[in-house]
């Protein structure tokens, strides 16, 4: 749009703020407080607190149609644990631990990569798991979140310390799939009612087995997750996004 610029965190266009044009900056998983945009939008309150307090700032989650995701039902009764990630955030150690320690009658739905980093324990862990268990491969691609999350009963999440927002976590919650999360900024976005927080991999394994057995507790977490995800539904935020765009002439 002539006369305005939109800068997206992590999009490789951080130099655009130097132009003398109205600029909107959206911070999703990280924040550059030096952008100097006229309008600042942040996906979470934690990110908003890092921004320039003298500039118009609003908290606006990404546009996710969370209510529609309630209709995605599981297609089988096999208890399935999901580890859906991207290459840059790939939790190698977590995946290897889960593959080596999760009972073989629990299905693992995990993101697989074409190329793993040097000394990654994942390829050998996959080979060991396939000797007695089953893995459902979720190849790395844009739509992996929805295509594979709905097959799961739980999502395991461990992102880098600098990660402030995880779309996959919100999509999992919208589907009614509880999330077990390691410490970090993503976990800090939620109270214990909506997020199962653990400190270690053995504790994560313990929670998986507990929720598999305790169906009422699982149902409570699943319902609360859907409630929390509904707060971020795109229908609740469209007008605020339009208002921000109008402020920069779009």
């Amino acid at each position: 749009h002539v006369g305005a610029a939109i800068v997206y965190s992590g999009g490789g266009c951080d130099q655009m703020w130097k132009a003398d044009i109205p600029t909107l900056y959206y911070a999703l998983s990280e924040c550059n407080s030096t952008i100097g945009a006229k309008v600042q939008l942040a996906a979470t309150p934690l990110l908003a607190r890092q921004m320039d307090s003298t500039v118009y700032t609003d908290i606006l989650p990404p546009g996710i149609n969370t209510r529609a995701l309630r209709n995605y039902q599981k297609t089988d009764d096999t208890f399935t644990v999901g580890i859906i990630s991207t290459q840059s955030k790939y939790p190698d150690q977590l995946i290897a631990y889960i593959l080596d320690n999760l009972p073989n009658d629990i299905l693992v739905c995990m993101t697989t990569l074409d190329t793993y980093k040097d000394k990654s324990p994942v390829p050998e862990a996959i080979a060991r798991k396939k000797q007695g268990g089953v893995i459902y491969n979720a190849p790395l691609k844009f739509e992996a979140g929805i295509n594979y999350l709905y097959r799961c009963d739980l999502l395991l999440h461990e992102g880098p310390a600098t990660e402030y927002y995880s779309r996959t976590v919100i999509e999992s919650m919208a589907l009614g799939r509880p999330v077990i999360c390691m410490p970090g900024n993503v976990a800090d976005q939620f109270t214990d009612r909506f997020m199962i927080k653990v400190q270690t991999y053995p504790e994560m394994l313990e929670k998986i087995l507990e929720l598999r057995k305790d169906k009422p507790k699982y149902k409570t977490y699943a319902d609360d997750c859907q409630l929390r995800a509904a707060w971020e539904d795109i229908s609740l935020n469209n007008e605020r996004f339009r208002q921000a765009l109008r402020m920069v002439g779009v």
Side-chain angles (χ1 to χ4, degrees):
H1 188 283
V2 177
I6 298 176
V7 182
Y8 172 79
S9 66
C13 51
D14 288 352
Q15 296 299 317
M16 291 180 67
W17 83 88
K18 294 182 178 180
D20 188 21
I21 55 178
T23 307
L24 183 152
Y25 174 62
Y26 184 66
L28 176 61
S29 60
E30 59 185 28
C31 175
N32 184 339
S33 59
T34 66
I35 288 294
K38 177 181 178 180
V39 175
Q40 302 173 143
L41 301 179
T44 71
L46 283 177
L47 277 170
R49 286 197 284 271
Q50 297 183 34
M51 291 180 159
D52 183 353
S53 60
T54 66
V55 178
Y56 176 84
T57 302
D58 197 5
I59 300 169
L60 189 68
I64 302 176
N65 193 357
T66 62
R67 294 179 180 178
L69 296 182
R70 297 178 184 179
N71 300 321
Y72 282 73
Q73 303 298 320
K74 281 204 64 181
T75 55
D76 59 69
D77 296 327
T78 304
F79 194 83
T80 304
V81 170
I83 311 175
I84 311 298
S85 185
T86 62
Q87 188 160 20
S88 62
K89 303 174 184 178
Y90 204 68
D92 295 74
Q93 300 299 324
L94 168 62
I95 291 175
Y97 179 86
I98 292 299
L99 292 180
D100 282 337
N101 292 277
L102 200 68
N104 284 336
D105 61 340
I106 295 180
L107 181 64
V108 179
C109 180
M110 56 171 283
T111 305
T112 52
L113 305 178
D114 293 332
T115 303
Y116 293 90
K117 64 184 181 183
D118 292 341
K119 299 182 180 179
S120 171
V122 173
E124 292 184 0
I126 289 176
R128 290 191 294 269
K129 184 69 172 179
K130 287 184 175 180
Q131 293 178 9
V134 179
I135 297 173
Y136 191 97
N137 292 334
L140 184 63
K141 53 185 178 180
F142 178 77
E143 66 273 19
I146 302 304
N147 281 354
Y148 301 103
L149 279 175
Y150 85 93
R151 305 171 187 268
C152 303
D153 294 276
L154 291 171
L155 176 72
L156 309 184
H157 181 79
E158 181 184 35
T162 56
E163 181 185 29
Y164 283 85
Y165 190 92
S166 171
R167 184 184 183 97
T168 302
V169 165
I170 296 299
E171 289 173 340
S172 179
M173 297 171 92
L175 289 163
R177 288 18 171 207
V179 181
I180 306 178
C181 194
M182 295 294 289
N185 289 320
V186 170
D188 290 343
Q189 307 296 323
F190 307 95
T191 65
D192 292 340
R193 175 183 176 185
F194 305 116
M195 173 76 71
I196 305 164
K197 305 176 186 181
V198 298
Q199 299 295 319
T200 65
Y201 295 161
E203 187 181 356
M204 180 176 279
L205 180 62
E206 180 181 331
K207 290 295 183 182
I208 294 172
L209 300 178
E210 176 186 348
L211 289 175
R212 182 194 190 190
K213 182 178 180 180
D214 192 335
K215 298 187 183 303
K217 178 178 286 190
Y218 176 91
K219 182 66 163 55
T220 297
Y221 269 118
D223 291 344
D224 285 346
C225 281
Q226 285 192 322
L227 175 64
R228 173 60 177 81
W231 299 348
E232 299 197 16
D233 189 76
I234 189 172
S235 64
L236 302 178
N237 298 291
N238 272 339
E239 182 53 39
R240 292 165 59 209
F241 183 60
R242 293 191 187 99
Q243 178 184 355
L245 290 178
R246 287 194 290 268
M247 293 181 70
V248 293
V250 177

